[in-house]
Amino acid sequence: TLDATVNPDFGQVEQDPAVVNLSAFEVFFPERRPFFLEGRQLLEGNGPGYYYSRRIGQPPRGNLPANVDFSSTPDQTTIIGAAKLTGRTQSGLSVGGLLAFTPAENATTVDLEGRDFRDYRVEPPTGYGVVRLEQEFGSSGSTVGIVGTGTRRDFQQVDPLADILRKQAYTGGVDWNLRFDGGQYELSGYAGAAYIQGSESTIDLAQTSSARYYQRPDANCNVPNPVPGCYLDYDPSRSSLFGYSLGLEFDKTSARHWLWGAEVNLESPGFELNDVGRLGSSDDIDGFGYLRYRESVPGNVFHRYDASLYLGSGWNFGGTRQYSFIDLEFGAQLKSFWGFNLSAEFNPRTQNDKLTRGGISMGRGHFWNVNGSFFSDFRKKTRFRAWMLYGRGETGGWDYILEGNISFQPGGSWELSLSPEWSIGTDARQYVTTLARDNPRTFGERYVFAFIDQSTFSTRFRLNYSFTPEFSLEGYAEPFVSTGRYYNYGELECWKCRTLREYGTDGTTIEIVEPEAPQELLVTDGNQQFTLSRDDFTFLSFRTNLVARWEWRPGSTLFLVWQLNRNDGAAVTNPRSANPGDYLDAITSPGQSFFAVKVTYWIPF
């Protein structure tokens, strides 16, 4: 099957949910665009994430001058055209390929005093390519596959974008899934490599990004007095970076009762996929194992049930353990087809080389959580599910989360669903900033953290109504409220410590700079003084879209689209916890509406 698209518009696609991200890591959203959804599993393959279709058409990433009165930047990069080939031959060879091109994107700025309008390039012309082959063989359906991706950007002769975006990036790998003994056992794995090339500034950004933090003073060997056991080679003059990834897993997947499996995965520090792929972090060595007992024959009480034990640990390439966990789970479905799941997880003390965001390794205390869910009979016209989690940590953090979903489908023509989510908790180690300090115990830096009380309340509403098989209405809405309050500021006491030196103790003071400016705090430590920004916040969002769809002839469709995106973020000292009463404020926040009429026409030939 060959699919091609020219200058596509995906305005009728449901918007992404709102999120407040206080971490150093990217949030990955699911694909919703029909062109990229079809054949996605074949193109993604089995591996570390070589292909992530949301990279194509993503928001422009160029920077604009700070001293402008008004600016307008495109929300998404236009896709000039894309073509996709997917299929399977009679010999069992699955084939997937994709090519896509995006043009240069410009943002417009306005200087009202000088009446000066200017265009700034915020995204260069870019080409993306993905190819995937997978051969099935043997009576048990074993497979072996290869994948390759490429990204190239075309910069101007003098182009600031060349200092933040890579010129080119290539990835490739092989994967396999070998099935034995009639499919009872599986040996799967992958091996791959990645190469990026660009300006020194661009590759420096890659080295110092949250995915790897090459500059860490306790891991970088290119410092005057490196720490014994250092293993990273940070070089700001690099113009390319190379890395590799390996994975191996062995499972018993078919049995009357007992199932088990174990796997190991690693990504070298230089491994990078984020030009057309998806990678949270590299410099990882991970090991997992599980043991499961299941009963799938209905009995007097249960329709089915299973109990599982999961174990796992992770290290960086320097051999420092970054996490461990043990997880016990039990799930069951009753004879009535109602069911429940229970889980308890414990994470012991470990180190973490990401908490200081490019600084020294920091200890992390133990923490645990218990969670459970129950669900109704999925065969009924009214269905619901609820999930709850409660957890606590050694250093004072805790979480309480409630999620649910209820769906009504009284007839074949319409369906309504509501998915509320509520979470409150405290992060006892929220990163604030890094400042200079003459302290050899922390390698000459002051790593400042704080407690943060955060609360979030949101509800996703969906309504689908089919007037006729050819004419339907689809609606989506999500009010979202999130608040955060910072307090108990302090700094890391020493390398690999998990405790903080809290400001206001140990000879230090912390106070508000001025009553009229409660967001500014002054810290005095001996003969040193510095200020901290108190970043308390309240964030409101309301996202909705309504799509009327009329297929007036087979394959030819008319879409009427309305989207509304409202949001309002403000610095608020000591904000109260989020609650459903804030939904009105979210719905009336400033926003922007989008209207579109779209037509697709099928030409038979």
Side-chain angles (χ1 to χ4, degrees), residues 242-502:
F242 174 82
Y244 61 90
S245 178
L246 300 170
L248 189 65
E249 180 176 359
F250 188 70
D251 297 274
K252 184 178 182 180
T253 60
S254 177
R256 176 68 176 84
H257 291 299
W258 291 99
L259 305 175
W260 48 264
E263 65 177 297
V264 60
N265 305 287
L266 61 89
E267 296 93 26
S268 73
F271 194 61
E272 176 58 83
L273 297 178
N274 286 322
D275 287 272
V276 71
R278 179 173 66 179
L279 177 74
S281 66
S282 58
D283 191 10
D284 295 321
I285 303 174
D286 304 298
F288 306 99
Y290 73 91
L291 177 66
R292 178 181 300 125
Y293 179 86
R294 68 177 183 182
E295 178 57 77
S296 55
V297 176
N300 295 329
V301 178
F302 296 110
H303 184 72
R304 61 162 182 83
Y305 65 88
D306 62 79
S308 304
L309 168 67
Y310 296 89
L311 300 169
S313 285
W315 299 261
N316 61 26
F317 268 58
T320 302
R321 185 163 55 94
Q322 301 297 297
Y323 69 88
S324 292
F325 70 87
I326 179 171
D327 182 21
L328 294 171
E329 297 186 5
F330 179 79
Q333 188 175 48
L334 304 175
K335 294 285 286 184
S336 61
F337 285 90
W338 286 53
F340 63 90
N341 295 283
L342 300 173
S343 174
E345 181 177 343
F346 177 74
N347 301 73
R349 293 175 180 173
T350 58
Q351 288 291 302
N352 190 296
D353 58 14
K354 301 291 195 296
L355 285 177
T356 56
R357 304 198 181 184
I360 58 178
S361 182
M362 178 177 176
R364 182 167 60 177
H366 63 70
F367 59 96
W368 57 266
N369 74 74
V370 292
N371 65 83
S373 65
F374 68 92
F375 52 89
S376 66
D377 186 350
F378 61 87
R379 304 170 301 171
K380 302 298 184 180
K381 294 182 178 180
T382 299
R383 306 175 297 275
F384 63 86
R385 176 191 61 83
W387 179 80
M388 181 195 73
L389 178 144
Y390 177 73
R392 296 199 73 90
E394 179 183 7
T395 54
W398 62 277
D399 291 291
Y400 183 56
I401 304 173
L402 284 174
E403 296 181 3
N405 174 266
I406 183 168
S407 298
F408 305 95
Q409 194 174 8
S413 60
W414 70 282
E415 181 178 6
L416 173 66
S417 70
L418 295 82
S419 301
E421 297 182 10
W422 177 56
S423 66
I424 57 174
T426 297
D427 185 348
R429 295 294 182 267
Q430 175 61 47
Y431 176 82
V432 177
T433 189
T434 299
L435 303 170
R437 182 193 179 195
D438 186 15
N439 180 12
R441 300 182 68 201
T442 54
F443 292 65
E445 302 284 359
R446 192 190 298 268
Y447 301 101
V448 182
F449 294 84
F451 281 61
I452 179 173
D453 288 342
Q454 190 172 0
S455 63
T456 301
F457 208 109
S458 67
T459 304
R460 291 188 296 274
F461 300 87
R462 289 185 175 87
L463 172 65
N464 298 325
Y465 188 84
S466 297
F467 297 90
T468 68
E470 294 78 23
F471 182 57
S472 63
L473 189 68
E474 298 178 0
Y476 169 83
E478 185 209 25
F480 177 94
V481 183
S482 183
T483 66
R485 181 178 70 90
Y486 289 78
Y487 61 99
N488 286 5
Y489 291 80
E491 62 186 66
L492 184 62
E493 286 193 332
C494 62
W495 178 37
K496 296 189 176 181
C497 289
R498 66 178 179 277
T499 54
L500 299 181
R501 179 185 180 225
E502 185 178 336

Side-chain angles (χ1 to χ4, degrees), residues 61-126:
R61 287 157 291 173
N63 299 317
L64 296 177
N67 56 344
V68 296
D69 296 309
F70 173 81
S71 65
S72 176
T73 303
D75 294 329
Q76 305 290 331
T77 303
T78 304
I79 300 174
I80 297 176
K84 179 179 56 179
L85 177 68
T86 56
R88 180 181 171 92
T89 68
Q90 292 183 351
S91 64
L93 177 65
S94 298
V95 179
L98 180 139
L99 288 174
F101 300 93
T102 59
E105 293 285 0
N106 295 314
T108 301
T109 64
V110 181
D111 180 359
L112 296 179
E113 183 177 351
R115 297 185 178 181
D116 184 21
F117 289 75
R118 292 190 179 183
D119 286 338
Y120 288 88
R121 178 170 285 193
V122 289
E123 191 74 20
T126 307

